[in-house]
Amino acid sequence: MHYTIDNITALIGARRFGSAEACIDWLLTDSRSLAFAETTLFFAIRTKLGDGHHYIPELYRRGVRNFVVGNVPANYETNYPDANFLLVVSPLKALQRLAERHREEYDLPIIGVTGSNGKTVVKEWLYQLLSPSMHVTRSPRSYNSQVGVPLSVWLLNEHTQVGVFEAGISQPGEMAALKAIIQPTIGVMTNIGPAHQENFATIQEKCLEKISLFKDADVIVYCADDAVISECMAVSLYTGDTIAWSTSNTDATLYIRSITKKADHTDIVYRFLGVENSMSIPFTDDASVQDSIHCLAVCLYLHLQPADIAQRMAQLEPVAMRLEVMQGVRGCTLINDTYNSDVTSLDIALDFMNRRPEQGNKPKTLILSDILQTGLPTTELYTQVADMIERRGIDRLIGVGPEISAAHALFNVKKVFFPTSDALTESGLLDTMSNEMVLIKGSRKFGFEQITAALSLRVHETTLDVNLEAIAENLNFYRSFMKPETKITCMVKASAYGAGSVEIAKTLQDRGVDYLAVAVADEGADLRRAGITTGIIVMNPEMTAFNTLFQYDLEPEVYSFKLLDALVHAAEKQGIQGFPVHIKLDTGMHRLGFNPLKDVPQIIERLKRQSAIVPRSVFSHFVGSDSPDFDEFSARQFQLFDEASQQLQRAFPNKILRHICNSAGIERFPERHLDMVRLGLGLYGIDPIDNRRLHNVTSLRTTILQIRNVPKGDSIGYSRRSFVERDSRIAAIPIGYADGLNRHLGNRNGYCLVNGQKAPYIGNICMDVCMIDVTGIDCKEGDTVEIFGDNLPVTVLSDKLDTIPYEVLTSVSNRVKRVYFQ
Ligand SMILES: *Cc1c(COP(=O)(O)O)cnc(C)c1O
């Protein structure tokens, strides 16, 4: 389908301002992702967090000419010549409506996938299972929201033979819109669990809302053994066919006769319409078994042959959602995208790469394999890829595979091609790469692991995995308490609470935060050298580091007259004018700061005498905003601050930002946000009010080095502090107190997780290694061990250690490699 702006105006029922001709291929909702300006239609969507209309001037400058808006800009004819503005009541609804119209052009099997967990895995596995026989169009990654679903459905094209789209909801009423866009003919209900329960009265209500996606489908696949889903199916208005699979009901359309777990695979015997067959999947966990049976039901419904199904099931690949940023050799930065290779995910990865500012603009190299199973003719495919690479500013392409090599003439960047990954590795080219940003993206068949291994810096088996998406989600959580105009400072002190300040700062800068705050000047200088341009506050500026402040535009906190005078003196000596500073008042912490009752007139007087520095903000810090026990004291702190800061403001014509709330304050005292707030611990996934988990950001992981059997009565470790009271299996793991694993966790005071089960630390924790008791736990050498993270909250450790989560997070030592992913 090709759309002109005329078609689209009619399809979404808009009023058009402007009369330029245009063809539209791309729909855009996030200005940062722009690549193909001339053929892009931008939807200016308003959300709690922002307003797309603000980005119109910038997008126009970058070449976009077509906009769907809720308000037409003033004087659009003079300010935006050649642009079209399509005026609608709701740009979001217009986007959804356009996707709906687009969907209606296709009379194809469309699979809708919903449920609490496993949506993305089922969608990706259906892709793996079906794509050898037909051309599949599917949602990119986890695009399953009110915006993500329309953008996914827009990808349907003349080659598509089957579509697979996931739908996610977080509130009642959202499914109706997604149903109209996806119009599934085949529904898969994966399972129902507690996710997003806060907005629904009961789990049944949520389940029924999800099932409503399939009201008009031809068939629904679900597990009949799930009581909640079965009950909801019975009371729903659905009248079509079902494949309700069961492990107990022998009359079920799809009866699962046996599930047998082996060391590294699971055998499944099933009976469909009275005929018995079997398959094996290369996974043994319950979730994978359930997901694979959902996929089996869909394949059978689509008349795939049991032999083909079995053959493809045996080759299912794990679904990696990760875009990892890794430190590479010789100053390279690697972005490793292990997600399935296709055009859309390539574009998302290129976009991600472009959003990560780097020191001195490192040149960008893309290592790309043949892109398989797209159904597109190769010339068309690689013309698209070449265009994308050029638009996204790639400097050099390293192509691997016969197809991309054959298409070499299409690429207009520096380029080199190899038939296989081995040929690339043997060529020696990888050994010459230095100081580049390298995006590595290959279809699995090409075994790009060896390329990643050759380019990545390997330090230690123990890693701190940092989920950058979780940072963004936590930021949004706190923004949801804030007025849109309130500014936000994010604390990245102490290496971003242990997570590593550079990558976190990049993520936060990308999300448009107003300030970052570090402890000392050198931390700020590191961020500037890494390409961070957001304002930076230095909380504890050393007298010896003033030149660093001036050189890198780092704005100091000023908490005493001594510091104030020294700073003015140093700035004047360099001829600096109007350097912004942040005035700290001590309202009760008694740590650093001016006295709000006595010092303000003096501060005003000294600031007025000079012009080298200007007060940009004034702030204070609560001592106990996390607990109602201190509410009276917090109120007194606030009052002191309110009066003193107003007094300061009255003395100056320029606006002085006032701020006092930290994470807990943001949530508990919305009326005290003033002009700005300062977000710390909550950003890293822990709500300081009750230590509840938000989105987990960091996971400390290691691997089992060695396992030994120890007879009853023997002791483990230095000084014979622990004895085993039974014949035991003891594993050694490469993490010790020098990595930040607190010694007080030893001798069975704490535990880690091995394959989901608790393994207590036994014996004294050593410097680089410690021992854990894995008796009765199914595990082997090389298995992953979680010290804290997604499944073991860091607060479990801090409680055992009688400390606060801040201390555990910031104790992970620098030698532990940080791995960032999105
Ligand atoms: C660390 C810090 C914060 C953030 O506190 P959290 O409790 O982590 O949100 C805010 N303001 C100042 C001055 C800080 O030092």
Side-chain angles (χ1 to χ4, degrees):
M1 276 302 293
H2 287 286
Y3 292 93
T4 63
I5 198 73
D6 268 346
N7 301 145
I8 291 179
T9 308
L11 288 175
I12 64 177
R15 198 167 140 213
R16 178 165 162 194
F17 294 78
S19 56
E21 307 258 315
C23 280
I24 299 302
D25 291 327
W26 301 85
L27 307 185
L28 183 73
T29 59
D30 181 338
S31 63
R32 296 168 303 186
S33 299
L34 176 68
F36 302 93
E38 308 82 73
T39 52
T40 286
L41 176 61
F42 178 71
F43 288 77
I45 293 176
R46 285 197 181 92
T47 66
K48 267 205 303 240
L49 307 174
D51 182 351
H53 292 83
H54 294 329
Y55 299 97
I56 293 173
E58 175 204 328
L59 287 167
Y60 184 84
R61 267 198 310 281
R62 293 166 65 192
V64 178
R65 291 293 176 267
N66 297 287
F67 302 90
V68 176
V69 293
N71 313 91
V72 176
N75 303 325
Y76 73 95
E77 285 154 306
T78 32
N79 291 342
Y80 300 100
D82 320 322
N84 292 304
F85 290 95
L86 309 189
L87 178 66
V88 295
V89 175
S90 158
L92 172 62
K93 288 267 175 284
L95 169 68
Q96 296 178 338
R97 185 157 169 88
L98 179 58
E100 239 177 273
R101 296 287 88 88
H102 183 64
R103 162 69 183 90
E104 281 158 7
E105 295 294 320
Y106 299 90
D107 184 14
L108 301 167
I110 298 286
I111 306 167
V113 184
T114 193
S116 296
N117 296 302
K119 292 187 285 291
T120 304
V121 173
V122 168
K123 178 204 63 175
E124 286 303 311
W125 280 359
L126 282 171
Y127 173 76
Q128 292 179 24
L129 293 163
L130 300 175
S131 59
S133 331
M134 44 189 127
H135 183 75
V136 183
T137 295
R138 69 198 199 283
S139 327
R141 296 188 179 266
S142 308
Y143 277 29
N144 63 26
S145 66
Q146 298 286 309
V147 173
V149 168
L151 295 179
S152 301
V153 167
W154 181 253
L155 299 174
L156 287 170
N157 61 51
E158 68 272 25
H159 302 290
T160 310
Q161 292 168 305
V162 58
V164 190
F165 300 108
E166 45 172 298
I169 53 165
S170 53
Q171 298 196 34
E174 287 186 340
M175 202 50 109
L178 302 187
K179 173 181 177 292
I181 303 165
I182 300 177
Q183 302 168 35
T185 60
I186 302 172
V188 180
M189 178 77 191
T190 58
N191 61 21
I192 194 89
H196 293 299
Q197 190 59 48
E198 63 275 17
N199 298 322
F200 294 89
T202 61
I203 198 158
Q204 281 78 8
E205 182 193 338
K206 184 173 65 179
C207 187
L208 280 167
E209 170 89 20
K210 291 193 186 236
I211 291 175
S212 71
L213 173 63
F214 306 133
K215 197 163 102 17
D216 300 314
D218 300 331
V219 65
I220 302 182
V221 170
Y222 68 97
C223 174
D225 304 337
D226 184 313
V228 176
I229 297 180
S230 286
E231 190 187 309
C232 290
M233 283 297 298
V235 301
S236 74
L237 301 172
Y238 180 69
T239 53
D241 294 333
T242 60
I243 301 182
W245 61 268
S246 172
T247 56
S248 53
N249 175 9
T250 52
D251 294 333
T253 323
L254 176 57
Y255 166 56
I256 305 300
R257 212 191 69 187
S258 69
I259 295 172
T260 314
K261 295 189 179 180
K262 301 284 177 55
D264 59 355
H265 66 277
T266 304
D267 296 326
I268 298 170
V269 179
Y270 63 91
R271 201 163 68 208
F272 181 64
L273 301 174
V275 182
E276 194 159 296
N277 274 295
S278 66
M279 64 182 197
S280 278
I281 58 166
F283 300 90
T284 57
D285 61 292
D286 293 339
S288 295
V289 170
Q290 197 181 56
D291 293 340
S292 72
I293 298 174
H294 290 314
C295 293
L296 168 68
V298 174
C299 291
L300 291 167
Y301 181 79
L302 290 174
H303 301 291
L304 260 66
Q305 292 307 309
D308 291 335
I309 296 175
Q311 186 243 332
R312 292 172 199 173
M313 283 281 180
Q315 290 167 13
L316 282 182
E317 306 266 6
V319 176
M321 297 297 298
R322 292 157 65 117
L323 260 171
E324 286 178 344
V325 183
M326 298 189 289
Q327 224 179 326
V329 291
R330 295 176 295 277
C332 289
T333 301
L334 308 185
I335 299 179
N336 187 28
D337 185 1
T338 54
Y339 190 77
N340 280 337
S341 187
D342 58 65
V343 181
T344 317
S345 80
L346 172 63
D347 195 45
I348 292 173
L350 288 168
D351 180 33
F352 177 79
M353 181 178 199
N354 276 338
R355 289 195 202 178
R356 309 208 74 71
E358 280 290 331
Q359 170 200 3
N361 280 330
K362 290 182 182 174
K364 295 184 192 134
T365 298
L366 168 65
I367 307 183
L368 179 68
S369 77
D370 288 354
I371 300 179
L372 305 173
Q373 295 171 346
T374 60
L376 293 179
T378 48
T379 315
E380 187 178 335
L381 170 65
Y382 291 104
T383 305
Q384 263 187 36
V385 172
D387 192 23
M388 201 173 266
I389 288 176
E390 210 172 321
R391 302 277 184 146
R392 295 286 189 192
I394 290 292
D395 300 290
R396 174 167 65 151
L397 169 69
I398 301 176
V400 176
E403 288 184 8
I404 195 167
S405 302
H408 64 92
L410 297 171
F411 296 96
N412 294 321
V413 294
K414 250 167 73 182
K415 55 196 175 182
V416 50
F417 296 88
F418 299 90
T420 61
S421 302
D422 284 340
L424 168 57
T425 312
E426 283 156 20
S427 72
L429 175 64
L430 298 177
D431 306 325
T432 66
M433 294 174 71
S434 69
N435 293 308
E436 309 171 37
M437 277 269 250
V438 187
L439 173 62
I440 304 173
K441 181 140 185 75
S443 302
R444 273 172 222 285
K445 203 182 103 181
F446 287 87
F448 269 22
E449 298 80 28
Q450 57 169 308
I451 296 172
T452 313
L455 287 175
S456 70
L457 203 58
R458 229 160 266 280
V459 199
H460 195 24
E461 285 111 333
T462 300
T463 58
L464 188 73
D465 294 356
V466 182
N467 182 345
L468 297 174
E469 194 64 34
I471 288 273
E473 278 166 8
N474 293 330
L475 178 65
N476 284 348
F477 171 75
Y478 283 94
R479 276 182 165 162
S480 74
F481 298 104
M482 293 163 49
K483 296 206 194 80
E485 65 271 21
T486 307
K487 294 186 187 313
I488 189 162
T489 295
C490 286
M491 311 307 289
V492 295
K493 59 190 181 190
S495 263
Y497 291 51
S501 52
V502 171
E503 287 299 328
I504 300 291
K506 286 179 184 175
T507 303
L508 294 169
Q509 170 165 300
D510 190 37
R511 298 281 160 169
V513 308
D514 300 280
Y515 270 107
L516 300 166
V518 296
V520 294
D522 278 343
E523 288 182 319
D526 285 345
L527 293 183
R528 287 280 183 255
R529 284 192 288 259
I532 298 296
T533 53
T534 301
I536 297 179
I537 301 175
V538 177
M539 316 248 293
N540 194 0
E542 314 95 306
M543 301 263 189
T544 51
F546 289 158
N547 285 342
T548 311
L549 299 181
F550 302 141
Q551 184 186 347
Y552 289 104
D553 268 326
L554 307 171
E555 305 175 15
E557 162 182 329
V558 174
Y559 53 80
S560 71
F561 289 116
K562 184 169 164 227
L563 181 58
L564 179 69
D565 292 343
L567 193 64
V568 169
H569 183 70
E572 282 175 344
K573 231 168 81 182
Q574 297 215 3
I576 284 168
Q577 287 287 310
F579 199 79
V581 304
H582 303 265
I583 307 289
K584 169 90 161 272
L585 304 177
D586 172 19
T587 55
M589 177 81 100
H590 297 333
R591 186 169 64 179
L592 296 173
F594 291 101
N595 182 333
L597 291 173
K598 295 214 313 250
D599 292 344
V600 180
Q602 268 270 4
I603 302 173
I604 294 171
E605 202 258 322
R606 291 200 202 191
L607 284 172
K608 290 223 162 202
R609 270 208 314 250
Q610 55 81 51
S611 56
I613 64 173
V614 289
R616 177 72 186 109
S617 87
V618 54
F619 70 107
S620 190
H621 197 33
F622 285 123
V623 306
S625 58
D626 53 339
S627 160
D629 296 350
F630 307 115
D631 278 357
E632 233 172 280
F633 192 78
S634 296
R636 211 152 66 228
Q637 280 193 282
F638 182 76
Q639 199 193 351
L640 270 175
F641 176 69
D642 193 30
E643 283 165 14
S645 58
Q646 291 201 38
Q647 190 186 354
L648 186 73
Q649 173 68 83
R650 278 195 299 271
F652 294 91
N654 65 297
K655 167 88 186 155
I656 304 177
L657 301 171
R658 302 193 302 145
H659 48 113
I660 188 167
C661 283
N662 59 347
S663 305
I666 297 172
E667 202 177 335
R668 294 195 59 238
F669 308 137
E671 70 287 1
R672 294 178 185 155
H673 288 181
L674 301 172
D675 302 310
M676 184 152 84
V677 297
R678 299 187 306 274
L679 178 59
L681 190 65
L683 191 57
Y684 303 96
I686 297 156
D687 190 324
I689 295 171
D690 49 6
N691 276 355
R692 178 169 57 94
R693 276 244 286 214
L694 304 173
H695 296 278
N696 184 51
V697 172
T698 49
S699 297
L700 181 59
R701 297 200 176 95
T702 187
T703 47
I704 295 180
L705 282 183
Q706 194 177 33
I707 299 181
R708 70 184 69 248
N709 292 316
V710 177
K712 180 175 164 179
D714 271 17
S715 66
I716 310 287
Y718 281 121
S719 311
R720 308 201 76 191
R721 286 286 306 277
S722 293
F723 289 83
V724 296
E725 286 143 16
R726 52 179 178 180
D727 289 347
S728 300
R729 279 180 93 214
I730 302 297
I733 56 177
I735 181 171
Y737 57 78
D739 299 292
L741 185 67
N742 195 301
R743 270 186 92 246
H744 295 105
L745 292 168
N747 298 308
R748 299 189 183 278
N749 285 330
Y751 62 86
C752 53
L753 292 183
V754 176
N755 297 329
Q757 285 180 272
K758 293 179 186 177
Y761 297 104
I762 182 162
N764 281 335
I765 288 175
C766 316
M767 187 185 289
D768 306 311
V769 179
C770 67
M771 279 70 80
I772 54 178
D773 184 349
V774 295
T775 312
I777 300 179
D778 183 13
C779 63
K780 56 185 185 307
E781 288 170 8
D783 279 2
T784 302
V785 178
E786 181 171 321
I787 307 297
F788 64 74
D790 294 345
N791 306 299
L792 178 52
V794 70
T795 47
V796 171
L797 278 71
S798 58
D799 286 350
K800 295 247 188 254
L801 292 167
D802 197 18
T803 182
I804 48 178
Y806 299 75
E807 185 179 350
V808 180
L809 288 175
T810 55
S811 298
V812 179
S813 73
N814 275 336
R815 78 174 187 192
V816 175
K817 175 170 155 183
R818 269 70 175 165
V819 176
Y820 300 92
F821 64 97
Q822 181 126 354

